[in-house]
Amino acid sequence: MEHVASVPSWAMLAYLISGVLFILALRGLSSPATSRAGNRYGMIGMTIAMVTTLVTHGIASLPEIAGAIAIGGGVGFVTARKIKMTDMPQLVAAFHSLVGLAAVLVGLAAYLNPGAFGILGADGLIEPQSRVEMGLGIAIGAITFSGSIIAFLKLAGKMSGSPILLPGRHVLNLGTLIAILGLVAYFTQDQSQWVIATITVLSFLIGFLLIIPIGGADMPVVVSMLNSYSGWAAAAMGFTLHNTAMIITGALVGSSGAILSYIMCKAMNRGFLSVIAGGFGAEAAAGGGAAKEQRPWKRGSAEDAAYMMKEAENVIIIPGYGMAVSQAQHALREMGDVLKKEGVNVKYAIHPVAGRMPGHMNVLLAEANVPYDEVFELEDIQSEFSQADVAFIIGANDVVNPAAKTDKSSPIYGMPVFDVDKAKTIFFVKRSMGGVGYAGVDNDVFYMDQTMMLLADAKKMVEDIVKALAH
């Protein structure tokens, strides 16, 4: 096509360089120790891609583009400055929705003005391959947008985190997806407005239907899955725009998000296909979800925790979403530093799905300057709980719940969890005994003989423990 041929060779080389930088960015972001360098690679790569695109395509409309960048960049800058770390998961979901919406709008713009996108054939109609790219881009983008909206509402607490089960949902979902794919195929033969409009509406609808049945405890997988969807939507639009950088970036985001989703599903002993099909985590058994009452438990104090940990040889700290809510990570690091000065071996155990998004706990501990070599993943630290004198659980629940190993009726059954019950002493920081984890399951750890419940705001409790350690 003339439009593709008009892209100069230096621009193709620049896009290739930006693609390599994006790959280096992903490599850097795979470890907290190299994450800053990875971020820089990504920023440099995106700058190269944007400048190249502006020079080759956008000079004539530079004022409009500059205005759009200023508005979008301004909103993003203000949002990033004001957002709380506890609200980061729903912010990520919101960003995914914007990527999806952008893909839909670009696809519709290309449909309404195909000549400007260089996708008209000799017969004056949109070329068939461009219709496929356009249809898939719009469909994936719409699914990403509506699905991310539901994820945002669930994460922000504006919608119930419990699965909302629709009768015949699997048949409805499968039928809708088949209809969308059938219409995309038909779109290659008939580019009537009703076809593209129906694809768009059905795709928005299936996005809602796929995410509504998913329980709140499985939101980390949903966030990474939607991240993958947003990447594939961007890649599809890259084909429509004939933009190499967009294709590369979208493919990287889509594939890395899919791989991360698979890894997290494996960590939860869930099926990846069940996530894609919807209804993920919806099978909430009545036996597993019922809270147990009137069971004896022991209450501890900050002084108890300070004394036991000060006398301990090995302490393993297990953070969860409750730590994020109370912003206790800095106080927790201070507690760890004090214990290390007393000769205690302190380690942090991070579950793959702790928090509300992938890497949530890692980000918070890195923000508090917890040394990277003290932070361990589940498989690396699981065997050490039998040698631990103290397991200090702060804000975690489902990831330490033994029901995942023993109760087949539990909605979290089969999910690998930390063996905290093997530790000599357990301190469990929790606001009250009334609540349960995000999966809605009571936790037998509360009632174990070696467990002391520290009922208070997580940050205040840790600060009190630090004060007690100083005495």
Side-chain angles (χ1 to χ4, degrees), residues 26 92-93 95-97 99-100 103 136-137 139-141 143-145 148 211 219-236 246-264 272 275-276 358:
L26 286 176
V92 171
F95 282 164
H96 289 163
S97 73
V99 175
L136 290 177
I140 300 172
I143 292 171
T144 304
F145 173 75
S148 297
I211 307 301
M219 275 298 126
V221 179
V222 174
V223 171
S224 65
M225 183 179 69
L226 290 170
N227 177 60
S228 178
Y229 288 175
S230 69
W232 298 124
M246 200 168 178
I247 296 170
I248 295 173
T249 306
L252 287 173
V253 173
S255 56
S256 61
I259 293 170
L260 179 59
S261 297
Y262 172 78
I263 292 172
M264 296 181 71
F272 182 65
V275 181
I276 303 298

Side-chain angles (χ1 to χ4, degrees), residues 58-253:
I59 295 298
S61 55
L62 192 57
E64 292 89 343
I65 293 175
I69 292 175
I71 294 172
V75 172
F77 179 80
V78 173
T79 302
R81 295 276 297 190
K82 289 187 174 183
I83 196 73
K84 297 178 181 178
M85 287 301 293
T86 51
D87 295 333
M88 194 60 68
Q90 48 262 47
L91 177 66
V92 171
F95 282 164
H96 289 163
S97 73
L98 294 178
V99 175
L101 184 60
V104 173
L105 294 177
V106 169
L108 293 177
Y111 173 76
L112 295 173
N113 190 10
F117 289 79
I119 56 176
L120 281 178
D123 56 0
L125 299 175
I126 301 173
E127 294 190 344
Q129 69 269 24
S130 295
R131 297 188 209 177
V132 174
E133 298 158 2
M134 186 187 304
L136 290 177
I138 289 175
I140 300 172
I143 292 171
T144 304
F145 173 75
S146 54
S148 297
I149 292 296
I150 296 299
F152 171 84
L153 294 174
K154 284 180 177 263
L155 289 166
K158 300 181 184 300
M159 182 178 184
S160 173
S162 302
I164 300 174
L165 307 181
L166 301 176
R169 64 188 183 280
H170 295 304
V171 175
L172 180 61
N173 291 348
L174 185 60
T176 306
L177 286 172
I178 291 174
I180 291 171
L181 293 175
L183 284 169
V184 170
Y186 180 70
F187 188 49
T188 61
Q189 306 300 318
D190 181 2
Q191 64 177 59
S192 300
Q193 289 187 2
W194 74 266
V195 181
I196 197 70
T198 307
I199 291 173
T200 305
V201 171
L202 288 179
S203 300
F204 279 129
L205 177 63
I206 194 64
F208 288 117
L209 295 175
L210 285 174
I211 307 301
I212 279 178
I214 299 178
D218 300 328
M219 275 298 126
V221 179
V222 174
V223 171
S224 65
M225 183 179 69
L226 290 170
N227 177 60
S228 178
Y229 288 175
S230 69
W232 298 124
M237 286 301 101
F239 282 104
T240 299
L241 296 172
H242 309 302
N243 189 297
T244 305
M246 200 168 178
I247 296 170
I248 295 173
T249 306
L252 287 173
V253 173

Side-chain angles (χ1 to χ4, degrees), residues 393 400-402 420-421 426 428 443-448 451 453:
I393 305 167
V400 298
N401 194 332
V420 295
D421 54 305
I426 302 170
F428 208 122
N443 195 334
D444 285 340
V445 174
F446 300 162
Y447 316 106
M448 290 180 174
T451 300
M453 301 300 299

Side-chain angles (χ1 to χ4, degrees), residues 27-94:
R27 180 69 182 88
L29 291 171
S30 64
S31 168
T34 57
S35 59
R36 290 181 182 271
N39 239 341
R40 293 192 192 99
Y41 286 134
M43 293 166 65
I44 295 170
M46 185 56 68
T47 300
I48 292 174
M50 288 178 60
V51 171
T52 302
T53 301
L54 288 175
V55 171
T56 56
H57 295 83
I59 295 298
S61 55
L62 192 57
E64 292 89 343
I65 293 175
I69 292 175
I71 294 172
V75 172
F77 179 80
V78 173
T79 302
R81 295 276 297 190
K82 289 187 174 183
I83 196 73
K84 297 178 181 178
M85 287 301 293
T86 51
D87 295 333
M88 194 60 68
Q90 48 262 47
L91 177 66
V92 171

Side-chain angles (χ1 to χ4, degrees), residues 208-463:
F208 288 117
L209 295 175
L210 285 174
I211 307 301
I212 279 178
I214 299 178
D218 300 328
M219 275 298 126
V221 179
V222 174
V223 171
S224 65
M225 183 179 69
L226 290 170
N227 177 60
S228 178
Y229 288 175
S230 69
W232 298 124
M237 286 301 101
F239 282 104
T240 299
L241 296 172
H242 309 302
N243 189 297
T244 305
M246 200 168 178
I247 296 170
I248 295 173
T249 306
L252 287 173
V253 173
S255 56
S256 61
I259 293 170
L260 179 59
S261 297
Y262 172 78
I263 292 172
M264 296 181 71
C265 287
K266 188 177 180 181
M268 297 174 69
N269 197 32
R270 310 278 190 181
F272 182 65
L273 291 179
S274 68
V275 181
I276 303 298
F280 185 56
E283 291 78 16
K292 301 173 185 177
E293 299 178 357
Q294 306 301 324
R295 295 177 64 182
W297 53 277
K298 291 183 289 188
R299 183 165 189 163
S301 65
E303 290 73 20
D304 295 329
Y307 175 77
M308 294 294 291
M309 287 193 287
K310 196 172 185 179
E311 297 297 317
E313 184 177 342
N314 297 301
V315 173
I316 300 178
I317 300 171
I318 305 98
Y321 186 62
M323 182 194 75
V325 172
S326 64
Q327 290 288 281
Q329 62 268 27
H330 295 281
L332 192 65
R333 190 217 69 221
E334 185 181 356
M335 184 186 82
D337 290 344
V338 173
L339 289 173
K340 285 186 289 183
K341 289 179 182 178
E342 296 291 335
V344 181
N345 182 29
V346 178
K347 294 183 178 180
Y348 299 80
I350 307 296
H351 195 280
V353 293
R356 296 294 179 266
M357 70 176 184
H360 197 180
M361 296 301 106
N362 301 77
V363 170
L364 292 175
L365 293 180
E367 181 203 9
N369 294 318
V370 171
Y372 301 135
D373 58 358
E374 295 177 9
V375 180
F376 296 86
E377 300 295 333
L378 183 147
E379 62 271 14
D380 298 322
I381 201 170
Q382 185 74 299
S383 62
E384 298 189 26
F385 279 97
S386 57
Q387 286 82 45
D389 298 297
V390 175
F392 188 84
I393 305 167
I394 174 168
N397 199 328
D398 297 329
V399 299
V400 298
N401 194 332
K405 298 181 290 184
T406 60
D407 185 0
K408 292 185 178 181
S409 67
S410 172
I412 62 171
Y413 180 74
M415 181 177 81
V417 294
F418 290 117
D419 293 332
V420 295
D421 54 305
K422 294 182 180 180
K424 295 182 178 67
T425 303
I426 302 170
F427 287 104
F428 208 122
V429 182
K430 197 170 181 293
R431 282 187 177 273
S432 70
M433 291 298 294
V436 290
Y438 210 28
V441 185
D442 197 28
N443 195 334
D444 285 340
V445 174
F446 300 162
Y447 316 106
M448 290 180 174
D449 291 337
Q450 73 265 45
T451 300
M452 289 190 187
M453 301 300 299
L454 304 178
L455 303 183
D457 173 77
K459 183 178 181 180
K460 185 179 186 307
M461 176 55 71
V462 175
E463 289 174 344

